Amino acid sequence: MTNHSYLAPSPTTGLRHPLLWAILIAWSLGIGAATAGGVFMANAGGIPFPLATAAITPPLVYLLAWRLSPALRTWVGTLDLGWIVGAQTFRVIGTVFVMLWGLGDLPTVFGLTAGLGDMAVGLLALSVVLDVERKAAGWEGQVRALVVVGMLDFVAAFGTAILSGQGFPLRLPGEVTPILMQQLPMAMIPAFGVPLFIILHLMAWQKLPAR
């Protein structure tokens, strides 16, 4: 009698879906082209509505698709929660905000808030993903806390970016405005990276067991 061993699917199987990569590539190229065309440049002293729209729209589209598409819900169900949470560790690249602030290219309030906030979320994600993989006590609550903290970090970053602009109360005398964030390559962070990380937060929350 022949023995057949069952091979469990890799936790990265869903991440190799061709449509996923087609969407990500088209999305990033579209944002790059829009930035190069000056779409995200706001008037001096104005609120960067185009950039905010680019950050908010994809998560809203994802939520709508989640409600309407059983196929999307099934696909998200195949993803490994540890990989989803672990992706947030890449937010330690927030160090670039601190570096640009140190070079005088970003205002103090925004540079430090966005930079230190992202670094903290990235380090927290590293701790959380380890507990998720071990299924340590309280891991579900840690994932929820990471989602909340991660989302608040984005709110704080966008808020300080706006309020440290020209004519706004958090701009310190003699400092530059955060106009660098409306130009390549930095605009890719709020217009592509931020909505992508928000969607990952939403996925993590959706994969948690219902209370």
Side-chain angles (χ1 to χ4, degrees):
M1 184 175 180
T2 304
N3 292 326
H4 297 281
S5 59
Y6 172 73
L7 297 178
S10 166
T12 62
T13 298
L15 298 177
R16 296 197 294 267
H17 198 294
L19 180 58
L20 169 65
W21 290 101
I23 291 173
L24 290 176
I25 292 171
W27 180 13
S28 63
L29 290 176
I31 292 298
T35 307
V39 171
F40 300 126
M41 290 295 294
N43 295 327
I47 297 176
F49 286 113
L51 201 58
T53 301
I56 295 172
T57 300
L60 293 178
V61 171
Y62 167 77
L63 287 175
L64 179 62
W66 169 268
R67 292 291 300 272
L68 299 178
S69 173
L72 176 61
R73 294 194 295 270
T74 299
W75 176 75
V76 173
T78 68
L79 300 180
D80 182 74
L81 180 59
W83 282 84
I84 295 174
V85 172
Q88 300 291 340
T89 61
F90 286 99
R91 284 168 67 173
V92 295
I93 63 172
T95 51
V96 71
F97 291 108
V98 178
M99 293 172 61
L100 289 172
W101 162 73
L103 292 171
D105 293 328
L106 288 177
T108 300
V109 175
F110 167 66
L112 293 183
T113 299
L116 297 179
D118 272 349
M119 291 164 61
V121 172
L123 293 174
L124 177 60
L126 178 60
S127 173
V128 173
V129 73
L130 293 175
D131 283 344
V132 168
E133 294 297 332
R134 294 194 300 255
K135 292 297 183 289
W139 68 269
E140 295 174 16
Q142 292 185 50
V143 173
R144 289 189 174 91
L146 176 65
V147 171
V148 172
V149 172
M151 297 291 277
L152 289 176
D153 172 53
F154 288 140
V155 172
F158 266 93
T160 54
I162 293 171
L163 294 176
S164 59
Q166 183 175 334
F168 287 90
L170 295 185
R171 185 187 181 199
L172 300 179
E175 285 199 328
V176 297
T177 67
I179 194 172
L180 187 67
M181 302 306 300
Q182 301 171 28
Q183 305 168 349
L184 286 174
M186 294 302 293
M188 295 297 294
I189 295 177
F192 177 74
V194 168
L196 179 59
F197 281 123
I198 290 176
I199 291 172
L200 290 170
H201 275 317
L202 295 173
M203 287 181 176
W205 192 279
Q206 290 163 339
K207 288 183 68 67
L208 289 172
R211 287 183 170 180

